[in-house]
Amino acid sequence: QVQLVESGGGLVQAGGSLRLSCAASGSIFSINVMGWYRQAPGKQRKLVTTITSRGITNYADSVKGRFTISRDNAKNTVYLQMNSLEPEDNAVYYCMAIATMRNYWGQGTQVTVSS
């Protein structure tokens, strides 16, 4: 079992920045991939970015050049640095981990970007 706890969401003006954190606990040795998804009101949950245990990253086209995922293995934490935020980035952001072929999710953190 893996537990994920997100933090760092909030309200920011367009053009601003936020950093989300996701702390993993439990069977962390079994985690292969971690990442972030987001779900806007009335829309499906969509991939934002992922990072493998080897540090290989992947980004949705909509966030390339603005968002950066990183991980601190010593702290079992993944970060999402979000710059140049746009109103279209409004969503609940969920941390995700893949471990032993199973997906785990955090509780979500709200990001609100005002125009």
PDB file of all heavy atoms in Angstrom, residues 1-2 4 33 37 95-106:
ATOM      1  N   GLN A   1       0.839  -1.194   0.000  1.00  0.00           N
ATOM      2  CA  GLN A   1       0.000   0.000   0.000  1.00  0.00           C
ATOM      3  C   GLN A   1       0.876   1.247   0.000  1.00  0.00           C
ATOM      4  O   GLN A   1       1.934   1.272   0.610  1.00  0.00           O
ATOM      5  CB  GLN A   1      -0.899   0.028   1.247  1.00  0.00           C
ATOM      6  CG  GLN A   1      -1.953  -1.077   1.276  1.00  0.00           C
ATOM      7  CD  GLN A   1      -3.080  -0.844   0.313  1.00  0.00           C
ATOM      8  OE1 GLN A   1      -3.379   0.289  -0.032  1.00  0.00           O
ATOM      9  NE2 GLN A   1      -3.691  -1.925  -0.149  1.00  0.00           N
ATOM     10  N   VAL A   2       0.403   2.258  -0.720  1.00  0.00           N
ATOM     11  CA  VAL A   2       1.093   3.549  -0.783  1.00  0.00           C
ATOM     12  C   VAL A   2       0.093   4.636  -0.412  1.00  0.00           C
ATOM     13  O   VAL A   2      -1.053   4.627  -0.890  1.00  0.00           O
ATOM     14  CB  VAL A   2       1.649   3.810  -2.194  1.00  0.00           C
ATOM     15  CG1 VAL A   2       2.223   5.218  -2.289  1.00  0.00           C
ATOM     16  CG2 VAL A   2       2.721   2.773  -2.551  1.00  0.00           C
ATOM     17  N   LEU A   4      -0.496   8.824  -0.309  1.00  0.00           N
ATOM     18  CA  LEU A   4      -0.025  10.068  -0.915  1.00  0.00           C
ATOM     19  C   LEU A   4      -0.754  11.251  -0.290  1.00  0.00           C
ATOM     20  O   LEU A   4      -1.986  11.225  -0.197  1.00  0.00           O
ATOM     21  CB  LEU A   4      -0.285  10.050  -2.416  1.00  0.00           C
ATOM     22  CG  LEU A   4       0.320   8.889  -3.199  1.00  0.00           C
ATOM     23  CD1 LEU A   4      -0.181   8.891  -4.641  1.00  0.00           C
ATOM     24  CD2 LEU A   4       1.840   8.950  -3.176  1.00  0.00           C
ATOM     25  N   VAL A  33       6.577   4.946 -10.826  1.00  0.00           N
ATOM     26  CA  VAL A  33       6.273   6.222 -11.455  1.00  0.00           C
ATOM     27  C   VAL A  33       5.439   7.061 -10.499  1.00  0.00           C
ATOM     28  O   VAL A  33       4.560   6.525  -9.798  1.00  0.00           O
ATOM     29  CB  VAL A  33       5.478   6.031 -12.768  1.00  0.00           C
ATOM     30  CG1 VAL A  33       5.153   7.379 -13.409  1.00  0.00           C
ATOM     31  CG2 VAL A  33       6.246   5.149 -13.746  1.00  0.00           C
ATOM     32  N   TYR A  37      -2.045  14.560 -12.002  1.00  0.00           N
ATOM     33  CA  TYR A  37      -3.190  14.691 -12.889  1.00  0.00           C
ATOM     34  C   TYR A  37      -3.989  15.891 -12.394  1.00  0.00           C
ATOM     35  O   TYR A  37      -3.812  16.348 -11.255  1.00  0.00           O
ATOM     36  CB  TYR A  37      -4.063  13.441 -12.837  1.00  0.00           C
ATOM     37  CG  TYR A  37      -3.549  12.286 -13.670  1.00  0.00           C
ATOM     38  CD1 TYR A  37      -2.373  11.629 -13.322  1.00  0.00           C
ATOM     39  CD2 TYR A  37      -4.246  11.835 -14.774  1.00  0.00           C
ATOM     40  CE1 TYR A  37      -1.907  10.565 -14.079  1.00  0.00           C
ATOM     41  CE2 TYR A  37      -3.796  10.764 -15.546  1.00  0.00           C
ATOM     42  CZ  TYR A  37      -2.621  10.134 -15.176  1.00  0.00           C
ATOM     43  OH  TYR A  37      -2.163   9.081 -15.931  1.00  0.00           O
ATOM     44  N   CYS A  95      -2.093  13.897  -6.980  1.00  0.00           N
ATOM     45  CA  CYS A  95      -0.841  13.157  -7.053  1.00  0.00           C
ATOM     46  C   CYS A  95      -1.153  11.691  -7.339  1.00  0.00           C
ATOM     47  O   CYS A  95      -2.150  11.156  -6.827  1.00  0.00           O
ATOM     48  CB  CYS A  95      -0.089  13.288  -5.735  1.00  0.00           C
ATOM     49  SG  CYS A  95       1.510  12.448  -5.691  1.00  0.00           S
ATOM     50  N   MET A  96      -0.322  11.067  -8.133  1.00  0.00           N
ATOM     51  CA  MET A  96      -0.530   9.665  -8.515  1.00  0.00           C
ATOM     52  C   MET A  96       0.779   8.909  -8.392  1.00  0.00           C
ATOM     53  O   MET A  96       1.849   9.467  -8.652  1.00  0.00           O
ATOM     54  CB  MET A  96      -1.012   9.612  -9.959  1.00  0.00           C
ATOM     55  CG  MET A  96      -1.270   8.218 -10.541  1.00  0.00           C
ATOM     56  SD  MET A  96       0.219   7.375 -11.152  1.00  0.00           S
ATOM     57  CE  MET A  96       0.785   8.504 -12.414  1.00  0.00           C
ATOM     58  N   ALA A  97       0.683   7.660  -7.987  1.00  0.00           N
ATOM     59  CA  ALA A  97       1.855   6.786  -7.951  1.00  0.00           C
ATOM     60  C   ALA A  97       1.474   5.422  -8.510  1.00  0.00           C
ATOM     61  O   ALA A  97       0.368   4.941  -8.270  1.00  0.00           O
ATOM     62  CB  ALA A  97       2.400   6.646  -6.531  1.00  0.00           C
ATOM     63  N   ILE A  98       2.401   4.839  -9.254  1.00  0.00           N
ATOM     64  CA  ILE A  98       2.213   3.481  -9.744  1.00  0.00           C
ATOM     65  C   ILE A  98       3.195   2.588  -8.998  1.00  0.00           C
ATOM     66  O   ILE A  98       4.418   2.812  -9.039  1.00  0.00           O
ATOM     67  CB  ILE A  98       2.460   3.377 -11.255  1.00  0.00           C
ATOM     68  CG1 ILE A  98       1.507   4.298 -12.018  1.00  0.00           C
ATOM     69  CG2 ILE A  98       2.284   1.934 -11.723  1.00  0.00           C
ATOM     70  CD1 ILE A  98       1.763   4.347 -13.512  1.00  0.00           C
ATOM     71  N   ALA A  99       2.640   1.593  -8.323  1.00  0.00           N
ATOM     72  CA  ALA A  99       3.468   0.671  -7.551  1.00  0.00           C
ATOM     73  C   ALA A  99       2.891  -0.719  -7.692  1.00  0.00           C
ATOM     74  O   ALA A  99       1.679  -0.894  -7.507  1.00  0.00           O
ATOM     75  CB  ALA A  99       3.515   1.086  -6.084  1.00  0.00           C
ATOM     76  N   THR A 100       3.734  -1.688  -8.035  1.00  0.00           N
ATOM     77  CA  THR A 100       3.309  -3.075  -8.249  1.00  0.00           C
ATOM     78  C   THR A 100       2.074  -3.136  -9.119  1.00  0.00           C
ATOM     79  O   THR A 100       1.073  -3.802  -8.789  1.00  0.00           O
ATOM     80  CB  THR A 100       3.072  -3.794  -6.912  1.00  0.00           C
ATOM     81  OG1 THR A 100       2.088  -3.076  -6.150  1.00  0.00           O
ATOM     82  CG2 THR A 100       4.357  -3.900  -6.127  1.00  0.00           C
ATOM     83  N   MET A 101       2.133  -2.384 -10.238  1.00  0.00           N
ATOM     84  CA  MET A 101       1.099  -2.396 -11.274  1.00  0.00           C
ATOM     85  C   MET A 101      -0.252  -1.908 -10.779  1.00  0.00           C
ATOM     86  O   MET A 101      -1.307  -2.283 -11.310  1.00  0.00           O
ATOM     87  CB  MET A 101       0.975  -3.794 -11.892  1.00  0.00           C
ATOM     88  CG  MET A 101       2.270  -4.294 -12.514  1.00  0.00           C
ATOM     89  SD  MET A 101       2.119  -5.945 -13.214  1.00  0.00           S
ATOM     90  CE  MET A 101       0.988  -5.615 -14.562  1.00  0.00           C
ATOM     91  N   ARG A 102      -0.222  -1.073  -9.757  1.00  0.00           N
ATOM     92  CA  ARG A 102      -1.473  -0.528  -9.221  1.00  0.00           C
ATOM     93  C   ARG A 102      -1.320   0.981  -9.091  1.00  0.00           C
ATOM     94  O   ARG A 102      -0.249   1.464  -8.718  1.00  0.00           O
ATOM     95  CB  ARG A 102      -1.792  -1.150  -7.871  1.00  0.00           C
ATOM     96  CG  ARG A 102      -3.018  -0.592  -7.196  1.00  0.00           C
ATOM     97  CD  ARG A 102      -3.294  -1.260  -5.868  1.00  0.00           C
ATOM     98  NE  ARG A 102      -4.332  -0.563  -5.138  1.00  0.00           N
ATOM     99  CZ  ARG A 102      -4.779  -0.931  -3.951  1.00  0.00           C
ATOM    100  NH1 ARG A 102      -4.292  -2.010  -3.363  1.00  0.00           N
ATOM    101  NH2 ARG A 102      -5.718  -0.234  -3.361  1.00  0.00           N
ATOM    102  N   ASN A 103      -2.386   1.706  -9.389  1.00  0.00           N
ATOM    103  CA  ASN A 103      -2.391   3.164  -9.256  1.00  0.00           C
ATOM    104  C   ASN A 103      -2.886   3.584  -7.875  1.00  0.00           C
ATOM    105  O   ASN A 103      -3.889   3.054  -7.392  1.00  0.00           O
ATOM    106  CB  ASN A 103      -3.295   3.785 -10.314  1.00  0.00           C
ATOM    107  CG  ASN A 103      -2.670   3.764 -11.700  1.00  0.00           C
ATOM    108  OD1 ASN A 103      -1.671   3.105 -11.924  1.00  0.00           O
ATOM    109  ND2 ASN A 103      -3.266   4.495 -12.612  1.00  0.00           N
ATOM    110  N   TYR A 104      -2.186   4.536  -7.301  1.00  0.00           N
ATOM    111  CA  TYR A 104      -2.598   5.127  -6.034  1.00  0.00           C
ATOM    112  C   TYR A 104      -2.818   6.621  -6.255  1.00  0.00           C
ATOM    113  O   TYR A 104      -2.130   7.246  -7.065  1.00  0.00           O
ATOM    114  CB  TYR A 104      -1.536   4.910  -4.956  1.00  0.00           C
ATOM    115  CG  TYR A 104      -1.344   3.467  -4.576  1.00  0.00           C
ATOM    116  CD1 TYR A 104      -0.439   2.657  -5.260  1.00  0.00           C
ATOM    117  CD2 TYR A 104      -2.072   2.902  -3.533  1.00  0.00           C
ATOM    118  CE1 TYR A 104      -0.265   1.328  -4.919  1.00  0.00           C
ATOM    119  CE2 TYR A 104      -1.899   1.575  -3.184  1.00  0.00           C
ATOM    120  CZ  TYR A 104      -0.998   0.795  -3.885  1.00  0.00           C
ATOM    121  OH  TYR A 104      -0.836  -0.526  -3.543  1.00  0.00           O
ATOM    122  N   TRP A 105      -3.740   7.200  -5.495  1.00  0.00           N
ATOM    123  CA  TRP A 105      -4.096   8.607  -5.664  1.00  0.00           C
ATOM    124  C   TRP A 105      -4.096   9.326  -4.324  1.00  0.00           C
ATOM    125  O   TRP A 105      -4.463   8.752  -3.296  1.00  0.00           O
ATOM    126  CB  TRP A 105      -5.488   8.720  -6.287  1.00  0.00           C
ATOM    127  CG  TRP A 105      -5.576   8.158  -7.662  1.00  0.00           C
ATOM    128  CD1 TRP A 105      -5.953   6.888  -8.005  1.00  0.00           C
ATOM    129  CD2 TRP A 105      -5.263   8.821  -8.883  1.00  0.00           C
ATOM    130  NE1 TRP A 105      -5.892   6.735  -9.361  1.00  0.00           N
ATOM    131  CE2 TRP A 105      -5.478   7.903  -9.935  1.00  0.00           C
ATOM    132  CE3 TRP A 105      -4.829  10.100  -9.206  1.00  0.00           C
ATOM    133  CZ2 TRP A 105      -5.264   8.230 -11.273  1.00  0.00           C
ATOM    134  CZ3 TRP A 105      -4.616  10.426 -10.527  1.00  0.00           C
ATOM    135  CH2 TRP A 105      -4.831   9.497 -11.547  1.00  0.00           C
ATOM    136  N   GLY A 106      -3.718  10.604  -4.391  1.00  0.00           N
ATOM    137  CA  GLY A 106      -3.877  11.457  -3.237  1.00  0.00           C
ATOM    138  C   GLY A 106      -5.287  12.012  -3.194  1.00  0.00           C
ATOM    139  O   GLY A 106      -6.119  11.714  -4.055  1.00  0.00           O
TER     140      GLY A 106
END
